[in-house]
Amino acid sequence: MPFFYGTEIASRLMLGTAQYPSPAILADAFKRSGAGVATVSIRREAGGERAGQDFWDLIRDLNVQVLPNTAGCHSVREAVTTAQMARELFDTRWIKLEVIGHADTLQPDPFGLVEAARILTEDGFQVFPYCTEDLVLCDRLLSAGCGVLMPWGAPIGTGLGLNNIYGLRSLRAHFPDVPMVIDAGLGLPSQAAQAMEMGFDAVLLNTAVAKAGDPAAMAEGFAKAVEAGTLARRADPMEPRDMAAPSTPVLGKAFLE
């Protein structure tokens, strides 16, 4: 199982906690998936006295690692303040850092992301930056102190899968020892399996499970796909080739006239 900042995770599947039809369905999805990490938006906990307490009790009962995030933040100041609130509320140094730069695609702001990552790591946070697959950006994030990268597969909530295979393969090859999680854009278990076959350490998703007709079944499907992709990667798969090759040897075969 992967290690993030020295902590071993029970599963290579991480799940978000938003948009589920009910708390019971959310809990069932986590149970059937065996997910090892739950991402939680601090904004769920921020309004009113004891607001969100029932939700937090539910997350605690899942008995998984909690990764609070700065979802919806559009500036460095907002993201840093939200992270500091999350540290107090959830008693963890982990933070999934989001600094959104484009309203339509929800693409991260690369400049704000690096600045916020540097501020937070200097303040003792262990940062999981939601980023694109850009090599220069990722190098800057590592230099800022990040020990994990979370490149998107596609824009959040689209279900498009791995949009830039070349870019993701290049990123994985360029930083072979950096833990990496494909975050956002996955819609089908087959896409999660593909990410694992490419050598990524885990996948994080929310909408594909929460908005499925049967969220718990979809969560289980993703869990099995992640396992299959991991096994395939470890098995050293064959390289694709242009020409056909017989699976049955012709040496020793009888030729009849």
Side-chain angles (χ1 to χ4, degrees), residues 4-5 7 9 13-18 30 35-45 55-56 59-60 62-71 82-83 86-87 89-98 120 125-130 148-150 180-183 202-206:
F4 300 113
Y5 292 106
T7 299
I9 303 304
L13 176 63
M14 304 179 177
L15 287 181
T17 54
F30 269 84
V37 172
T39 59
V40 181
S41 171
I42 183 64
R43 294 170 186 270
R44 289 173 173 269
E45 307 294 331
F55 176 78
W56 174 226
I59 298 302
R60 186 184 293 112
L62 294 176
N63 195 30
V64 298
Q65 185 80 30
V66 174
L67 176 61
N69 67 45
T70 64
T82 302
R87 180 167 57 183
L89 182 63
F90 297 107
D91 191 27
T92 178
R93 297 166 61 199
W94 280 19
I95 191 71
K96 179 189 169 189
L97 178 61
E98 296 184 26
L120 291 173
F125 283 90
Q126 295 175 330
V127 178
F128 293 68
Y130 165 62
V148 177
L149 295 172
M150 301 186 80
M180 291 189 196
V181 181
I182 292 294
D183 176 18
V203 296
L204 170 58
L205 54 128
N206 189 164

Side-chain angles (χ1 to χ4, degrees), residues 14-30 33 35 39 44 55 58-59 62 205-212 214-216 219:
M14 304 179 177
L15 287 181
T17 54
Q19 306 183 77
Y20 289 83
S22 72
I25 291 175
L26 186 158
D28 194 26
F30 269 84
S33 72
T39 59
R44 289 173 173 269
F55 176 78
L58 170 62
I59 298 302
L62 294 176
L205 54 128
N206 189 164
T207 309
V209 168
K211 291 298 187 180
D214 186 340

